[in-house]
Amino acid sequence: MVQVAVCGPATASGAELAYARRVGELLAERGATVLCGGGGGVMSAVAAGARSRAGLVVGVRPDDGTAPGPVADVSATVVTNMGQARNAVLVWSADAVIAVGGSWGTLSEVALGMRRGGIPVVVLGGWRIVDADGVAVDGPLHVSTPEEAVSVALPR
């Protein structure tokens, strides 16, 4: 089974939440297992989308499982108690990474995916990295829609 990590901010805009939910629906419809951070925002939205299509969602939590706050509706939880270092576990467990929106944690997941190499790293409405001259750095694939994100992450 293909596993796709969907990353994004816990505090997300309405557009980011809608994108994430649709990405979750599309991934579940394609039979992919969704990996996410297991919290609120984009993580909760992608989980809700995938679960609405009977998809499997695994939350890779940064805490010990007792932290207050929003928790995504996931099928299973991996408790790491590693803080943001859990981002490496999330990325290394995935066959592709889709970042929806942007936050510092999301940026680290995009960077880890690029450093890992060999997997698609897709950005939907998030960070664009430029060099000192303002020229876009080669790397993540930028897309405009959830459908494009899933198509790039899971080529047929």
Side-chain angles (χ1 to χ4, degrees):
M1 180 169 280
V2 174
Q3 299 188 147
V4 178
V6 180
C7 311
T11 303
S13 70
E16 291 167 341
L17 295 174
Y19 281 163
R21 181 177 178 89
R22 183 68 180 137
V23 165
E25 292 169 355
L26 293 166
L27 289 171
E29 288 169 3
R30 296 271 305 265
T33 297
V34 173
L35 307 177
C36 71
V42 164
M43 299 168 279
S44 189
V46 74
R51 300 276 284 165
S52 77
R53 300 296 195 271
L56 179 63
V57 182
V58 178
V60 182
R61 298 286 304 167
D63 53 30
D64 65 0
T66 63
V71 178
D73 177 23
V74 298
S75 310
T77 302
V78 176
V79 175
T80 67
N81 207 28
M82 297 173 63
Q84 292 300 305
R86 77 80 157 50
N87 294 354
V89 173
L90 186 63
V91 168
W92 275 94
S93 298
D95 299 301
V97 175
I98 298 174
V100 178
S103 67
W104 290 113
T106 307
L107 180 59
S108 76
E109 290 157 326
V110 168
L112 287 166
M114 292 308 302
R115 292 289 297 176
R116 173 183 169 188
I119 62 170
V121 178
V122 182
V123 176
L124 175 59
W127 293 92
R128 290 194 180 267
I129 308 349
V130 297
D131 65 17
D133 296 321
V135 176
V137 174
D138 286 336
L141 305 166
H142 292 271
V143 298
S144 301
T145 67
E147 290 76 12
E148 284 180 283
V150 172
S151 178
V152 170
L154 298 176
R156 294 203 184 256

